[in-house]
Each structure stands twice: as structure tokens, then as C-alpha cells.
Amino acid sequence: LAKTTQPISMDSYEGQEVNITCSHNNIATNDYITWYQQFPSQGPRFIIQGYKTKVTNEVASLFIPADRKSSTLSLPRVSLSDTAVYYCLVGDEPRGANNLFFGTGTRLTVIP
Amino acid sequence: EPEVTQTPSHQVTQMGQEVILRCVPISNHLYFYWYRQILGQKVEFLVSFYNNEISEKSEIFDDQFSVERPDGSNFTLKIRSTKLEDSAMYFCASSDATGPYEQYFGPGTRLTVT
């Protein structure tokens, strides 16, 4: 499993765009990059997944450069309710169960 | 939107007692998981389950733990002879065959061992 490194914490004002970068220098050819969000006292929630270039959904965008050694989760115009821990995970897609290995994540605090 | 449910939301037990944590995964999902999160720490994988058997388990998942899918809807985690250090939030998750990393987590059961 590729090791990931992301900032421990970030602060942002409401309405701003937030970019959280994750480093995964040892990412393997078959690895996907996935981001989860966790609110206090709740289970993690899938946000977005990508393999290369850019992926966008209704919640966020994920930017992956050509070398795939890092990725950036972009949250547009954050609100107070986006305060959470954000996890970057990297792993392949073998047939069968795919177990998630969470790091410490990035604690995002949105300030009014 | 379908969701994973877990019961109870909070369980208090005495050291040495057995507990069973229950989960109802999303109905058409095939893969089931248990994770735990000790207060203030990261989410840790315990075990995955597919086709009525354990697919993979972590070092944490020793003989004290067992999982079962007793019927078509429930997925349980049994902890025998609980220890103080088993106090944690336990999350159940499920996924289907097409979303390898899109696991759907339940709200968790907070286990407190006294």
C-alpha cells in the first residue's frame, strides 16, 4: 500500500475554496486515489475517487498530475458544515474485498 | 438513499463480558467490513467479509473477535472477554462489486468497557 502524506490541519474562511494536497510518491500503476470525509462521531463518507487528470462531482474536484505522485482535493466555497477530517487513501482494485487503511487525515476547520 | 445501520449506538459493558455489535448493510451489497476508531485516533481496519467468509483480517482481529452473517440482512461483530482497550467507536461498512473504494459506513457503535 502506498504511504500518503497530508497536512495535519487547515483553517479556511467560509466561502473560500479549499485545496488539500496529498503526497503519495510510491503510488503503483494500479492504484486509485480516494478521498473520504469524517465528521465528529460519524463514520467516514466517500467523497471522490480518481486515477488520473481531473475528476469532478457535486461535492468536490480531484486533481491528479501526470506523475500521480500527489493529488489535490478541491472543495469550492466551503461552509461551516464542511468542517471535518479529510482522508486521502491510495490502493489498488483487486477483485474481492478492498480494505481501507486510513491515515491521520487533514482536519479542516471552517471559520465564519 | 439506502444506508448502513448499526445497533446499539452506545454499549457499556464490564471488562470480561462479551458484546455483540450489530449492523445491517445496504441490501444489495456483497462486501462487509468492520473498522474501529479509538477516541482521537485514526480509523483502523479490522476485518472484511465476502461470500460468507472472512476475506482479510488485521492484526487487531485476534481470537477475541469473530464476525457472522446470521441471516440475509445482519452482519455482527462479537467481542469475547472485552478489555479496557477495546473501548472505541466501531464502524460497519459495506460495498458492492462495482465500487472498490466506495464503502458506505454506518453511524458507529460506541463501545465503553469499564
Side-chain angles (χ1 to χ4, degrees):
Chain A
L1 293 170
K3 179 178 168 58
T4 61
T5 303
Q6 50 184 127
I8 293 174
S9 64
M10 293 179 68
D11 293 338
S12 175
Y13 287 103
E14 261 190 306
Q16 290 190 329
E17 177 184 81
V18 170
N19 296 308
I20 305 174
T21 297
C22 178
S23 297
H24 28 80
N25 291 318
N26 296 322
I27 190 169
T29 304
N30 296 332
D31 284 345
Y32 285 73
I33 300 154
T34 310
W35 286 79
Y36 276 76
Q37 172 193 56
Q38 186 180 26
F39 298 114
S41 298
Q42 293 188 28
R45 183 175 77 104
F46 172 90
I47 301 177
I48 197 165
Q49 181 184 84
Y51 183 79
K52 61 180 179 181
T53 63
K54 176 184 173 182
V55 180
T56 297
N57 61 22
E58 64 277 6
V59 176
S61 294
L62 179 60
F63 299 92
I64 305 168
D67 66 6
R68 304 200 328 123
K69 293 184 183 300
S70 67
S71 59
T72 299
L73 175 73
S74 181
L75 305 172
R77 297 180 299 281
V78 293
S79 64
L80 297 177
S81 62
D82 292 316
T83 294
V85 179
Y86 292 83
Y87 299 97
C88 165
L89 295 91
V90 173
D92 64 8
E93 186 187 352
R95 284 295 146 202
N98 299 279
N99 316 314
L100 301 180
F101 293 91
F102 291 83
T104 51
T106 298
R107 183 174 300 278
L108 172 66
T109 302
V110 180
I111 306 164
Chain B
E1 183 179 325
E3 58 183 19
V4 175
T5 59
Q6 291 185 243
T7 54
S9 57
H10 191 190
Q11 173 91 47
V12 181
T13 189
Q14 289 189 326
M15 199 166 50
Q17 296 297 304
E18 174 182 286
V19 295
I20 297 176
L21 309 183
R22 290 183 168 78
C23 168
V24 179
I26 293 173
S27 61
N28 62 340
H29 283 186
L30 302 176
Y31 302 96
F32 314 113
Y33 315 84
W34 284 100
Y35 295 83
R36 80 172 185 190
Q37 186 173 32
I38 295 170
L39 186 63
Q41 298 188 23
K42 62 184 181 181
V43 177
E44 300 174 291
F45 166 75
L46 292 178
V47 65
S48 57
F49 192 87
Y50 170 73
N51 200 26
N52 283 320
E53 61 183 23
I54 290 175
S55 301
E56 191 172 340
K57 57 184 180 179
S58 71
E59 292 178 352
I60 302 169
F61 194 89
D62 58 21
D63 292 343
Q64 182 193 8
F65 295 89
S66 62
V67 289
E68 192 178 31
R69 187 156 164 82
D71 53 44
S73 60
N74 291 283
F75 180 51
T76 63
L77 174 68
K78 182 188 289 185
I79 309 175
R80 287 181 283 274
S81 189
T82 50
K83 299 176 281 196
L84 293 176
E85 53 266 37
D86 294 328
S87 295
M89 196 77 161
Y90 287 81
F91 295 108
C92 172
S94 69
S95 66
D96 64 20
T98 59
Y101 278 100
E102 188 164 356
Q103 293 186 16
Y104 293 79
F105 283 75
T109 292
R110 181 169 298 284
L111 176 65
T112 302
V113 182
T114 61

